[in-house]
Amino acid sequence: MEETINLKELFQALKKRLWIIVLITTVAATISSVISFFVLTPMYQSQAQILVNQAKSDQQLYNSGEVQTNIQLINTYNVIITSPTILNQVINDLNLNMTVDELTEQIEVTSAKDSQVVEVTVQNESPRMAVEIANTTAKVFKNQISEIMNIDNVNILSPAVMKEDMSPVSPRIKLNIAVGIAIGLIISSIIAIVLHYLDNTLKTEQDIEQILELPVIGVITNIKDVPKATVRQTEPIGRAQRTRGETFGS
């Protein structure tokens, strides 16, 4: 006999084990909330912008080829910014208690396509330290790049600024809780459906008709289902009949 799966049966399976779904989803949401509030460290973000401009010239105010060359050099600048040469100087200037690798993990260098602007983004558990690292990295890079590549076409376009209302960029608590709820719903639904199809017992006459495809002729009522009031009423009648029988016999 082929077994077919239909939406109505799946819905009934989920409805029958709704308590499992609610329980697992609640546990998943609680775990994600606890991790977001008490385990993950809040991280603050700050950003400084560096402009790679064309070299000044008295004979030529604008040279498109020179601008294109500066754009092509940005990828090289991105690597240099996070190099030990720059970051070691940043660590010394700020007296940071971390290695170059640890500082590199906090810094992200990006640039828009066909743009001469390089963005130095720093994430740190301290908002003030994030601002200081971003500005110091941009400053050290500006000062060192002339010695490294023998050029002088880098300026700090926009330094990082310390704001009074800086909010952490991570963890994203609402998103984490939503993800926890979604994962809980998926896992609990799968468990409910699996339990439904692993349960091959027949519990009702409807199960017999649907699974065995046999008609139900009759149903034997469980003695536990008989109301107690009915039992109490029958007991006095029996005692009265026995009393009358004893009287006639005597």
Side-chain angles (χ1 to χ4, degrees), residues 11 25 32 34 62 103 105 115 131 144 161 175 185 216 226:
F11 177 77
T25 303
S32 62
V34 171
Y62 185 82
L103 181 57
E105 292 179 357
S115 172
V131 172
Q144 294 288 339
V161 179
L175 177 61
L185 285 173
V216 178
V226 178

Side-chain angles (χ1 to χ4, degrees), residues 8-172:
K8 182 178 179 180
E9 186 177 357
L10 291 178
F11 177 77
Q12 290 176 349
L14 296 176
K15 183 178 179 181
K16 184 177 181 180
R17 293 173 174 83
L18 183 61
W19 66 274
I20 295 179
I21 298 175
V22 173
L23 177 61
I24 295 179
T25 303
T26 303
V27 171
T30 303
I31 292 175
S32 62
S33 301
V34 171
I35 293 176
S36 298
F37 279 105
F38 302 106
V39 177
L40 299 179
T41 303
M43 300 295 290
Y44 295 86
Q45 180 174 292
S46 188
Q47 185 180 84
Q49 293 181 328
I50 302 172
L51 176 62
V52 181
N53 55 8
Q54 61 179 6
K56 295 181 179 179
S57 173
D58 296 334
Q59 300 177 351
Q60 194 174 11
L61 296 177
Y62 185 82
N63 188 330
S64 59
E66 201 167 286
V67 173
Q68 186 64 30
T69 301
N70 290 332
I71 292 176
Q72 294 174 355
L73 286 173
I74 285 180
N75 291 332
T76 303
Y77 295 155
N78 292 350
V79 176
I80 295 175
I81 290 175
T82 55
S83 66
T85 302
I86 303 298
L87 296 187
N88 273 324
Q89 185 64 45
V90 174
I91 292 174
N92 293 332
D93 290 349
L94 296 177
N95 294 321
L96 299 177
N97 186 21
M98 63 177 67
T99 63
V100 172
D101 292 336
E102 292 173 342
L103 181 57
T104 303
E105 292 179 357
Q106 298 184 10
I107 299 177
E108 181 182 9
V109 182
T110 58
S111 58
K113 184 178 179 181
D114 297 333
S115 172
Q116 294 178 253
V117 177
V118 177
E119 297 178 346
V120 180
T121 304
V122 178
Q123 288 191 4
N124 191 278
E125 57 188 48
S126 168
R128 184 173 299 278
M129 186 56 65
V131 172
E132 292 181 357
I133 292 176
N135 287 333
T136 304
T137 302
K139 181 181 177 181
V140 171
F141 172 72
K142 179 180 180 298
N143 296 334
Q144 294 288 339
I145 192 63
S146 59
E147 299 179 5
I148 296 174
M149 298 187 66
N150 195 23
I151 57 176
D152 187 16
N153 63 340
V154 174
N155 290 310
I156 298 177
L157 176 64
S158 176
V161 179
M162 180 66 189
K163 301 178 182 179
E164 296 182 357
D165 57 345
M166 289 185 67
S167 301
V169 294
S170 66
R172 301 173 65 179

Side-chain angles (χ1 to χ4, degrees), residues 191-221:
I191 292 175
I193 293 174
V194 170
L195 290 177
H196 173 74
Y197 283 101
L198 289 179
D199 186 5
N200 56 4
T201 59
L202 303 177
K203 297 180 175 62
T204 63
E205 56 270 21
Q206 287 79 13
D207 293 340
I208 298 176
E209 294 177 347
Q210 293 177 0
I211 299 175
L212 300 180
E213 299 180 356
L214 296 175
V216 178
I217 300 176
V219 178
I220 301 176
T221 305

